[in-house]
Amino acid sequence: MDALRATALSKQYRWSGGTNQALKSVSLTVPKGSILGLIGRNGAGKTTFLRIASTTLLPSGGKMDIFGHDVVQETNLVRERIAVIPQESRPFYWMNPRELIYYFLTLRGHTREDAHTRAEQALSELGLLEYADTLVSRLSGGLRRRAMVAMVMASDAEMLFLDEPTTGLDPVARRSVWEAIRKAAHAQRTIFLTTHYLDEAEALSTRIAILERGTLLAEGSREEIAQKVQHPYRVVVSGGFTQGELEGYGEPTWLEDRWMLFTGEKDAREISRMALERGARLSVAPVSLEDIFLQIVGKDISRDEEGDDEGA
Amino acid sequence: MKERKLASVLSIIAANGFLPLRRQPLFLINTLTSPFSFLFLIFILGGPDLIGYGISGGLVLTILSIGTSLQGDMTHYKADLKFQEMVVASPVKAGTYVTGMALSEFVFSIPGMCVFILLSVFYAHYIFLGGLIVLATLILLWIFASALGFTLATYLADMRETFMIAPIISIFLTVVPPVYYPISRLPPVVRPLAYLSPTTWAANLVQGAMGISSTPLTLGQGLLDGGVLLLSAAILFLVAWKKSQWRER
């Protein structure tokens, strides 16, 4: 069974000054037990999609099911099985991480004993035991974010919606969150992750979806998406070639002291051979997710869409 | 299911009522400031004759402030912390959450309630069943104020809007209506307008039950006051149920 199935989902925000079509007929499925990484620039519609899926926002059109239940008509059945960390969410300053997790679990209906056991496990998994009794007001931004992640990880929700969960975390803290996400997936929980860290999406996701201006441009495993791009190889050459020569194989980009271009396998082999003959420095590698994103979207992920993601 | 709801409500009260108080006891004093300011002014300006009105007004204002605090806290939890979104996307129902939040706000008002109830015992001349009438009135007011606070909070996008709306509501529910003074002080032409506010009916009941009103509380008047207050609470409850934006559109 699919954990999530969206069919022709759309969302239009209306206000007195006009409208914004945040989602345009998006169809997407997320298999149970998988980690889907939804990537896109700021304003692409990632948060809007996640909020509709997590039943906090109504769609304008289309249909979405979570574990076979309609998110609009069968909201209560959906809510029994999900948990969400909203973007930019923050913990209560007067609690410590242990209390935060315990509160969230008892609020959701866990028994006190179960909440206690789960809280200790989540604290341990996210490396928070050392800070378990420290008030949130005294924790760093990264630790606060980890405490938020621990709250939902500790719940019994079968599907977790994580909206940019590692924003503001240092590399070590990010790894501990990644590890917790992987563990959750191993336990057959489904993870829906939005991120604009492409390395994060690449490291965690079993499936990736690319959203741009409310339109789903690609969806599938990392390999499936790589096959969709016209140029699956990234070639970087330093010296030995003129721009005109390289333009015969693709669109070269000047990177301060070397040329970079995306090409097909045959052209990559030919450039390699010529580089060897000319003694030029060269590197050839399959495209990274960042390269794939650049080819599919046509823009770097760090370039903001006009407007903000909350409105899209 | 009922046990689960009860556990959720108790959890909310502990986390949002008792725990913040344990960490910051000054919250207890904070809730006393407004009603005592009015009481002080009334005592200074009106003398001992009006102190009964100051006490009954203090009881009403203390309960109404639960709604104002609820509105502020829920807006903060929604707009700043995004916690409400985590609750919406969970098995917790809106009614359970609001009940828990409204009761946790009540925790903050306990000192004020205790002080004003004690003062009323000394200064008021309770009629038969007066205590029960005051209790029922305050419960209806609590429902009214909580439903109003919750509904507004679901529409407000930022805490600054709360800071703007709270004083306006306070003026129309507490200052202008005869909560802190007898309605007879209002010019007869304006009196009908005062009855547009549910707090006027509540104040009538409390003042009558405490025996401080110049006109004794008759059964008919009591039923009318109570009926209007009940209707107001029911309407606000319905508005909260049907029109609040628990899930955004």
Side-chain angles (χ1 to χ4, degrees):
Chain A
M1 179 198 274
D2 288 325
L4 181 152
R5 181 182 288 273
T7 312
L9 195 77
S10 67
K11 178 66 188 177
Q12 187 176 52
Y13 292 103
R14 290 178 192 174
W15 63 94
S16 55
T19 59
N20 174 23
Q21 192 69 39
L23 290 176
K24 299 166 189 166
S25 194
V26 174
S27 296
L28 177 69
T29 54
V30 181
K32 196 178 170 187
S34 66
I35 303 176
L36 181 117
L38 181 63
I39 58 176
R41 297 182 299 141
N42 287 337
K46 304 186 297 291
T47 296
T48 295
F49 189 92
L50 181 140
R51 293 191 67 211
I52 292 171
S54 60
T55 74
T56 61
L57 180 70
L58 284 168
S60 305
K63 192 176 185 319
M64 186 189 277
D65 292 341
I66 302 285
F67 297 115
H69 300 298
D70 188 290
V71 294
V72 176
Q73 302 297 330
E74 300 170 292
T75 315
N76 290 340
L77 292 171
V78 173
R79 287 174 177 164
E80 290 283 341
R81 302 173 74 168
I82 63 167
V84 64
I85 304 177
Q87 196 181 102
E88 294 174 356
S89 52
R90 290 187 286 135
F92 299 109
Y93 73 91
W94 64 84
M95 291 189 198
N96 60 43
R98 180 174 277 127
E99 289 164 346
L100 266 175
I101 303 169
Y102 183 81
Y103 168 47
F104 187 62
L105 297 183
T106 50
L107 175 67
R108 283 182 65 101
H110 290 260
T111 62
R112 290 164 67 178
E113 294 74 23
D114 188 38
H116 180 74
T117 309
R118 284 172 174 272
E120 295 307 311
Q121 195 180 339
L123 287 167
S124 168
E125 278 178 10
L126 282 139
L128 286 167
L129 274 176
E130 191 185 337
Y131 310 98
D133 297 315
T134 307
L135 284 183
V136 162
S137 54
R138 293 184 190 139
L139 294 178
S140 67
L143 286 170
R144 290 179 191 188
R145 196 70 189 146
R146 272 152 78 184
M148 296 299 297
V149 174
M151 283 166 78
V152 297
M153 286 289 176
S155 75
D156 60 355
E158 294 165 64
M159 184 164 192
L160 306 178
F161 293 93
L162 314 177
D163 199 356
E164 306 203 357
T166 61
T167 301
L169 296 188
D170 62 50
V172 177
R174 281 179 79 201
R175 299 276 165 185
S176 67
V177 172
W178 289 7
E179 210 42 54
I181 291 173
R182 286 196 187 104
K183 271 188 185 173
H186 283 149
Q188 281 304 299
R189 296 168 96 176
T190 310
I191 312 287
F192 189 101
L193 171 81
T194 76
T195 181
H196 57 253
Y197 295 135
L198 295 178
D199 61 331
E200 181 166 286
E202 195 153 25
L204 289 174
S205 310
T206 48
R207 298 186 76 75
I208 290 167
I210 299 176
L211 204 58
E212 168 67 5
R213 292 188 177 206
T215 302
L216 191 70
L217 296 183
E219 190 258 327
S221 67
R222 160 79 172 72
E223 291 70 30
E224 285 168 353
I225 289 183
Q227 283 169 8
K228 287 177 188 168
V229 297
Q230 202 181 346
H231 306 297
Y233 287 90
R234 176 193 177 96
V235 177
V236 179
V237 288
S238 181
F241 289 87
T242 64
Q243 183 178 359
E245 276 181 299
L246 291 172
E247 278 172 352
Y249 300 100
E251 286 181 34
T253 306
W254 181 245
L255 306 173
E256 293 184 357
D257 58 350
R258 57 201 190 279
W259 289 105
M260 185 278 288
L261 75 160
F262 299 119
T263 66
E265 188 176 349
K266 191 181 159 203
D267 287 346
R269 281 179 192 279
E270 196 172 326
I271 297 169
S272 301
R273 184 183 52 75
M274 289 164 69
L276 280 171
E277 286 171 4
R278 298 176 187 184
R281 285 187 172 185
L282 167 119
S283 72
V284 179
V287 284
S288 66
L289 186 56
E290 195 169 346
D291 299 329
I292 293 169
F293 187 89
L294 190 63
Q295 288 191 50
I296 290 176
V297 176
K299 287 168 189 148
D300 193 276
I301 195 162
S302 58
R303 276 189 60 186
D304 278 6
E305 179 57 86
E306 283 179 15
D308 65 280
D309 206 34
E310 190 59 36
Chain B
M1 190 58 95
K2 272 185 184 170
E3 288 82 7
R4 186 165 145 176
K5 280 183 182 171
L6 181 64
S8 295
V9 168
L10 292 175
S11 166
I12 295 166
I13 298 169
N16 296 286
F18 291 107
L19 197 56
L21 276 182
R22 204 177 104 190
R23 301 270 149 81
Q24 182 51 276
L26 280 177
F27 279 127
L28 286 173
I29 297 170
N30 175 50
T31 55
L32 288 168
T33 51
S34 294
F36 267 98
S37 302
F38 278 117
L39 184 63
F40 179 75
L41 283 174
I42 283 168
F43 180 70
I44 294 293
L45 298 174
D49 292 347
L50 284 178
I51 199 161
Y53 288 99
I55 294 165
S56 69
L59 277 172
V60 170
L61 179 57
T62 304
I63 287 294
L64 280 177
S65 68
I66 289 175
T68 315
S69 303
L70 182 74
Q71 178 199 315
D73 280 351
M74 289 197 69
T75 305
H76 176 54
Y77 292 1
K78 182 185 79 162
D80 300 335
L81 305 182
K82 314 275 183 192
F83 184 72
Q84 188 171 305
E85 218 165 292
M86 296 177 76
V87 180
V88 174
S90 82
V92 183
K93 306 280 189 298
T96 306
Y97 183 61
V98 178
T99 305
M101 285 298 293
L103 285 168
S104 66
E105 300 294 350
F106 183 78
V107 171
F108 292 92
S109 68
I110 288 173
M113 292 303 295
C114 290
V115 170
F116 281 107
I117 286 169
L118 271 176
L119 285 174
S120 77
V121 169
F122 285 111
Y123 284 95
H125 316 281
Y126 276 103
I127 62 167
F128 178 64
L129 293 178
L132 283 178
I133 293 170
V134 170
L135 181 69
T137 305
L138 296 181
I139 288 173
L140 286 176
L141 258 187
W142 173 72
I143 294 170
F144 169 83
S146 302
L148 179 65
F150 168 66
T151 309
L152 287 172
T154 63
Y155 283 93
L156 300 179
D158 191 85
M159 278 305 287
R160 290 189 72 183
E161 292 182 350
T162 286
F163 299 143
M164 175 265 294
I165 282 191
I168 296 172
I169 289 174
S170 184
I171 283 174
F172 284 106
L173 290 182
T174 321
V175 180
V176 177
V179 171
Y180 272 95
Y181 58 91
I183 193 162
S184 56
R185 296 265 175 135
L186 280 175
V189 187
V190 185
R191 267 179 224 169
L193 287 176
Y195 284 107
L196 290 175
S197 169
T199 46
T200 300
W201 304 88
N204 267 351
L205 274 172
V206 175
Q207 291 165 5
M210 286 170 61
I212 55 173
S213 179
S214 53
T215 50
L217 185 67
T218 60
L219 181 64
Q221 185 61 46
L223 286 174
L224 179 65
D225 292 341
V228 173
L229 190 57
L230 181 67
L231 188 68
S232 306
I235 288 170
L236 256 293
F237 185 82
L238 269 177
V239 168
W241 188 21
K242 296 287 180 191
K243 292 291 173 189
S244 61
Q245 287 213 42
W246 183 241
R247 181 187 210 174
E248 282 181 42
R249 296 179 179 99

